[in-house]
């Protein structure tokens, strides 16, 4: 079992930045692919970014150029740097882990973190 703890969300104005973190305390997660998803009110949870165990990165078209995913295996932590925030980025952001390659569908992930709210005002 992998426990993931998401943090770093907040309320920012359009154009601002946030850095989300996903920690796996006490657990080595270097072999897992990590994904970030988000869920806006009334919408399905959607993939935004993923990083493989080998540091290959993947992004949804809607966030390319603004979101950057990274990982620090020494700290058992994955990050999502979000720049140039837009009101449509408002959502609860979740991290997830799976033993294998990066996938874009929620059902392919085995472990989920606590969500962190991102609110962007215009």
């Amino acid at each position: 079992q992998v426990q993931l703890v998401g943090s770093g969300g907040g309320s920012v104005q359009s154009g601002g930045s946030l850095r989300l973190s996903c920690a796996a305390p006490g657990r080595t997660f270097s072999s897992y692919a990590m994904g970030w998803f988000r869920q806006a009110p009334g919408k399905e949870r959607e993939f935004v970014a993923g990083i493989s165990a080998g540091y290959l990165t993947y992004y949804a078209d809607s966030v390319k150029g603004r979101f950057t995913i990274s990982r620090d295996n020494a700290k058992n932590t994955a990050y999502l740097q979000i720049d140039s925030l837009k009101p449509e980025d408002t959502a609860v952001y979740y991290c997830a882990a799976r033993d294998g390659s990066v996938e874009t569908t929620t059902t392919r992930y085995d472990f989920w973190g606590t969500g962190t709210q991102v609110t962007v005002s215009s």
Side-chain angles (χ1 to χ4, degrees):
Q1 186 76 12
V2 177
Q3 290 185 321
L4 303 173
V5 180
S7 63
S11 296
V12 298
Q13 291 189 328
S14 182
S17 298
L18 285 171
R19 188 193 196 202
L20 308 184
S21 298
C22 176
R27 176 83 184 203
T28 300
F29 78 160
S30 59
S31 64
Y32 289 86
M34 302 298 296
W36 282 96
F37 292 75
R38 66 185 180 187
Q39 188 166 17
K43 295 187 177 180
E44 293 187 351
R45 194 170 297 186
E46 65 174 356
F47 172 85
V48 295
I51 186 167
S52 71
Y55 296 88
L56 295 175
T57 58
Y58 305 84
Y59 297 94
D61 289 342
S62 59
V63 306
K64 282 181 181 176
R66 299 190 299 119
F67 288 24
T68 304
I69 189 171
S70 61
R71 65 190 299 162
D72 184 341
N73 288 339
K75 295 181 179 180
N76 290 332
T77 303
Y79 303 96
L80 185 68
Q81 177 69 38
I82 310 176
D83 297 319
S84 303
L85 276 159
K86 305 175 181 180
E88 51 263 42
D89 294 320
T90 295
V92 178
Y93 284 71
Y94 298 89
C95 61
R98 69 182 305 272
D99 187 7
S101 59
V102 171
E103 296 280 351
T104 61
T105 54
T106 58
T107 55
R108 300 302 298 269
Y109 283 80
D110 304 305
F111 309 104
W112 288 87
T114 52
T116 185
Q117 176 72 48
V118 172
T119 303
V120 185
S121 57
S122 58

